[in-house]
Amino acid sequence: MITIPLRILLVEDVKTDAELIIWHINKIVEFPHVKVVDDLEDFELALQSFVPDVVISDYNLPTSSGIEIFESARSTDDSIPFIFLTGTIEDEVLASNTFLAGASGFILKKHMDNLDAKLGPLLKQIVFNMVGRTEIREKVRQNKIAVNQIYNYLDNLNVDTEEQRENIIQIRKNIENIKSDAGKVKGRNKGASQGD
């Protein structure tokens, strides 16, 4: 059993499936914090405020596709592990394409009876990759939430002059530059550790 707290963002539109998935997660993770959303808009809001350790998403949703959810996650944070869970796709080519796109896993809902056996190894690998970075991970999560709050504040700020508008644009550019620089450092550190 995974004993560290794990924040899981579950994208599932069928309530009974969501409940069953959470039941299986509770068999794998001692302290899961699961947030369930059922569309792209709520998913994007949850990415900003919840900042998950892993995303588990149905592939076919009424208002969007799993690929749209996946692309949204990647555009927000390309390091978030992402697992597809679906009942309608049994195409091995499509499954392999999701791995090529960067997904961490792909599970068919026909395996729901023993989902914990299929999902457990994927979550354990994610946790293994997180171990030793718990403190850093929490600081990064808090920083992401703070940046998102700043963006929301800027979006809701009433500006009266052109100078104020330009200052807000400059603040946004500075934040993006900081995020870009942090991503470059992360990429260099990742490359250096892989070369060891």
Side-chain angles (χ1 to χ4, degrees):
M1 177 169 270
I2 296 170
T3 57
I4 70 167
L6 198 59
R7 299 170 69 84
I8 300 169
L9 183 52
L10 175 60
V11 187
E12 177 58 65
D13 62 306
V14 179
K15 184 179 179 186
T16 54
D17 283 355
E19 290 169 352
L20 186 57
I21 293 165
I22 291 169
W23 183 77
H24 281 285
I25 288 170
N26 281 306
K27 290 171 66 177
I28 305 166
V29 182
E30 188 173 1
F31 303 107
H33 186 166
V34 182
K35 181 169 185 68
V36 181
V37 296
D38 63 3
D39 62 32
L40 182 60
E41 183 179 348
D42 288 343
F43 174 74
E44 289 175 343
L45 289 172
L47 276 181
Q48 304 302 317
S49 59
F50 183 67
V51 189
D53 296 312
V54 61
V55 174
I56 300 173
S57 178
D58 192 354
Y59 201 90
N60 290 315
L61 300 159
T63 59
S64 60
S65 71
I67 292 296
E68 289 172 300
I69 299 289
F70 178 72
E71 288 172 350
S72 176
R74 284 294 176 257
S75 69
T76 301
D77 181 351
D78 65 357
S79 68
I80 298 173
F82 196 100
I83 300 170
F84 282 109
L85 182 62
T86 186
T88 59
I89 298 173
E90 297 188 16
D91 183 350
E92 292 177 8
V93 173
L94 186 52
S96 66
N97 286 342
T98 62
F99 284 114
L100 292 175
S104 305
F106 188 96
I107 301 171
L108 297 174
K109 283 187 178 179
K110 69 180 184 180
H111 300 295
M112 278 294 234
D113 289 344
N114 63 345
L115 180 63
D116 52 313
K118 302 285 183 184
L119 186 58
L122 295 173
L123 292 180
K124 286 177 183 175
Q125 182 61 46
I126 289 165
V127 168
F128 177 78
N129 292 337
M130 291 172 16
V131 170
R133 301 180 306 179
T134 303
E135 186 177 321
I136 293 169
R137 187 172 50 107
E138 188 55 35
K139 286 180 183 179
V140 167
R141 176 180 288 117
Q142 293 304 321
N143 288 340
K144 286 179 183 179
I145 291 171
V147 167
N148 293 331
Q149 289 171 339
I150 291 169
Y151 278 142
N152 288 337
Y153 175 78
L154 292 175
D155 289 341
N156 295 319
L157 196 63
N158 292 326
V159 294
D160 298 325
T161 68
E162 183 62 31
E163 181 182 1
Q164 289 171 326
R165 277 189 282 282
E166 289 188 21
N167 285 339
I168 289 174
I169 290 169
Q170 188 58 48
I171 290 169
R172 285 180 166 277
K173 284 181 183 175
N174 289 341
I175 292 171
E176 287 302 317
N177 288 339
I178 291 169
K179 286 171 59 177
S180 175
D181 290 345
K184 289 176 186 173
V185 168
K186 183 173 123 183
R188 283 196 301 264
N189 290 342
K190 191 175 184 180
S193 66
Q194 289 175 350
D196 291 340

